[in-house]
Amino acid sequence: MPEVGALRSATSAVADPGDFLALARGWSDGPLFYWEHPASGRALVAIGVAREIHAHGPDRFTTVATAVRRILATVQPIDEGRRGLRMVGGFAFSERRLAGSPAFPAARWVLPRLAWWREGGRTWLTRIWDDDDASSCDELLARRDRTAMLPSRDLHLHASPITTPERAEWRARVDGVRRLIADGAVRKVVLARARQLAAPDSRAPVDPAVVLRAARDARPACFSLWVRGRDAASLIAATPELLVRRRGATVTASALAGTAPRADDRALDRRLGAELLTCPKNAREHAIVVTAIRDALGALADDVVASAKPELLVLPEAQHLATVVTGRLRGPSDVLEVAGTLHPTPAVCGAPRAAARALIETQEPERGWYTGAVGWMDDAGDGELAVVLRSALVTGRTVTLRAGAGIVEGSDADAELAETEAKMTALMAPFVAGQSGDAGRAVRGAAVGAAGAAS
């Protein structure tokens, strides 16, 4: 959308609109941005487009950061308050321009017409309009279905089993990376795989809110995300990984690498977690990520420190090693500039970064926004971006899932395949025949066995 004309805004405290996911579902079409972190009580719903930025290439983070600052600076609040001014959007894993007009390009950021923000138990609504179109916000509000509620969990998807050729292809990819590691060309590469699920032809298109509701209820410590462009495609995620948060001069990032499966038996589940904390293979993988994040933040910040040792992040489908890294910015770098320094971390790419990324982009179909980042930035340069993991692209009756595993010295192809399967169950297990109940336990049991062999 061209940056023409003056923009006006108004921000005011409003009554609690209730569940923000239900609020987002009140608009059945058009651009939508939903972001929520239930454990902290923070949530954001943004509707409509006042301005829009697309970018690609190696400077896309800088390009977007510059454009966001410029656009926000042009907005003139009628109430003399700028706290509600935010732009929202995301980045793909790759910087490359995609063919055609993809719904999720290398970078897409939006200044919304309407944005609700909840924090600390209070909610604000910001309206943004062109100087000559003051009624645009009212028209968009009028389109909201105020009777919209969260749907039931009546969703059934079909998943085809992994074929023998698919297993063989995965093993070949893992073995290829292990040879590169042995030769000293790389230390780690995150390989990802995709699979598609389908709703029966007789059913309506998949409702992203159905999936997100179940995922959010089970994963309150994760970021719940729903991004919809101008077409019907939706990206949804319940991701555990923070790329970066900026609040004033303080920046925070998370290192999430090293995985163990869950087990239904509590004693076994605790043992798997304890073994993860002492597993040399997972320790190597985790240390690569922590070191890279510390080094990247060190280019922009002082007093960069990481927690003394990793902790366990326990999710329904897996357990991870997690370390928090913080620093204090030396200069005025905004959250998008810091994100550009960090992305892609070894947790989603590998190390050295350039060699790992080149291998990934040669071997894998375009990842889209999977392992990219989604978030927001405000007028002060503060903001928060989450890494897009445990995600799905929903298009009509088709759901495309992606999951990856970090290949390092000592990795086992069967264990890594089981890890990707476990991660794919994060969103869809309640809705796929054979992925819950006894079958779900069988999947986890296979992962337990493979992980034990790898460690």
Side-chain angles (χ1 to χ4, degrees):
M1 178 171 292
E3 299 176 27
V4 295
L7 291 169
R8 299 286 186 267
S9 73
T11 298
S12 58
V14 295
D16 187 345
D19 193 309
F20 268 46
L21 181 56
L23 174 66
R25 196 168 178 263
W27 285 267
S28 60
D29 57 16
L32 163 70
F33 183 94
Y34 158 80
W35 182 100
E36 184 170 9
H37 191 254
S40 68
R42 302 194 309 279
L44 169 65
V45 167
I47 303 295
V49 178
R51 297 289 185 269
E52 185 169 348
I53 305 162
H54 287 213
H56 68 279
D59 298 325
R60 59 185 170 138
F61 282 87
T62 301
T63 299
V64 171
T66 301
V68 167
R69 290 194 300 267
R70 182 178 66 249
I71 290 172
L72 291 178
T74 66
V75 181
Q76 299 299 315
I78 64 171
D79 52 6
E80 299 183 0
R82 304 189 67 84
R83 67 173 300 169
L85 297 181
R86 286 178 174 82
M87 290 191 70
V88 300
F91 299 88
F93 170 79
S94 175
E95 65 194 28
R96 297 178 299 187
R97 180 195 291 271
L98 302 183
S101 300
F104 299 96
R108 176 177 178 265
W109 279 70
V110 165
L111 179 67
R113 293 287 183 186
L114 302 172
W116 286 261
W117 174 254
R118 174 190 285 158
E119 185 170 17
R122 299 184 63 192
T123 303
W124 294 267
L125 169 62
T126 296
R127 307 179 186 213
I128 297 176
W129 63 92
D130 292 274
D131 198 25
D132 58 353
D133 189 17
S135 64
S136 58
C137 292
D138 292 336
E139 293 171 357
L140 193 54
L141 274 172
R143 287 174 46 200
R144 176 188 171 192
D145 178 1
R146 294 182 179 272
T147 66
M149 301 177 64
L150 291 183
S152 70
R153 302 186 183 189
D154 184 20
L155 172 64
H156 303 282
L157 300 170
H158 172 72
S160 300
I162 305 173
T163 66
T164 298
E166 287 172 333
R167 290 180 182 274
E169 178 187 6
W170 176 260
R171 177 172 290 278
R173 292 179 64 197
V174 172
D175 290 346
V177 171
R178 292 185 62 181
R179 286 192 294 271
L180 291 173
I181 292 171
D183 292 341
V186 294
R187 298 193 306 278
K188 173 184 177 179
V189 178
V190 179
L191 298 181
R193 47 185 291 268
R195 67 186 306 184
Q196 286 192 336
L197 310 182
D201 291 342
S202 60
R203 295 183 178 271
V206 174
D207 186 341
V210 175
V211 181
L212 274 177
R213 176 189 186 185
R216 185 186 61 177
D217 290 350
R219 307 157 65 83
C222 292
F223 297 92
S224 292
L225 311 173
W226 179 6
V227 183
R228 186 176 65 213
R230 296 182 183 276
D231 59 11
S234 286
L235 176 77
I236 58 174
T239 176
E241 186 166 357
L242 170 72
L243 178 62
V244 63
R245 177 188 303 116
R246 178 191 186 267
R247 289 186 175 176
T250 301
V251 287
T252 305
S254 67
L256 200 66
T259 303
R262 301 295 310 278
D264 288 339
D265 180 83
R266 290 186 178 181
L268 176 57
D269 195 52
R270 287 193 297 268
R271 179 172 69 81
L272 289 169
E275 290 176 350
L276 174 60
L277 288 168
T278 59
C279 172
K281 176 262 181 185
N282 282 289
R284 287 192 297 271
E285 181 180 351
H286 190 75
I288 290 171
V289 179
V290 173
T291 299
I293 290 176
R294 289 184 63 173
D295 290 347
L297 286 183
L300 301 172
D302 295 323
D303 303 324
V304 177
V305 295
S307 46
K309 58 182 180 179
E311 297 183 350
L312 278 182
L313 174 64
V314 180
L315 301 172
E317 74 282 355
Q319 307 178 66
H320 299 290
L321 297 178
T323 293
V324 175
V325 184
T326 61
R328 189 163 187 82
L329 291 170
R330 288 191 292 270
S333 302
D334 59 43
V335 69
L336 294 182
E337 292 171 317
V338 180
T341 301
L342 291 168
H343 176 81
T345 72
V348 299
C349 179
R353 180 159 65 181
R357 180 157 52 182
L359 187 146
I360 290 168
E361 294 189 340
T362 298
Q363 287 193 3
E364 293 182 12
E366 176 57 53
R367 287 184 177 185
W369 283 18
Y370 165 69
T371 63
V374 166
W376 57 272
M377 177 174 135
D378 69 11
D379 186 62
D382 288 344
E384 197 161 9
L385 285 91
V387 181
V388 181
L389 303 174
R390 311 299 196 271
S391 63
L393 184 64
V394 180
T395 308
R397 296 183 178 89
T398 300
V399 176
T400 302
L401 303 174
R402 285 184 171 83
I407 311 304
V408 296
E409 181 183 357
S411 290
D412 174 83
D414 291 337
E416 306 298 353
L417 182 65
E419 180 180 320
T420 63
E421 282 295 294
K423 289 173 178 176
M424 286 184 184
T425 68
L427 289 178
M428 298 300 169
F431 312 109
V432 179
Q435 292 295 304
S436 59
D438 294 339
R441 284 188 286 274
V443 170
R444 290 194 293 274
V448 168
S455 299

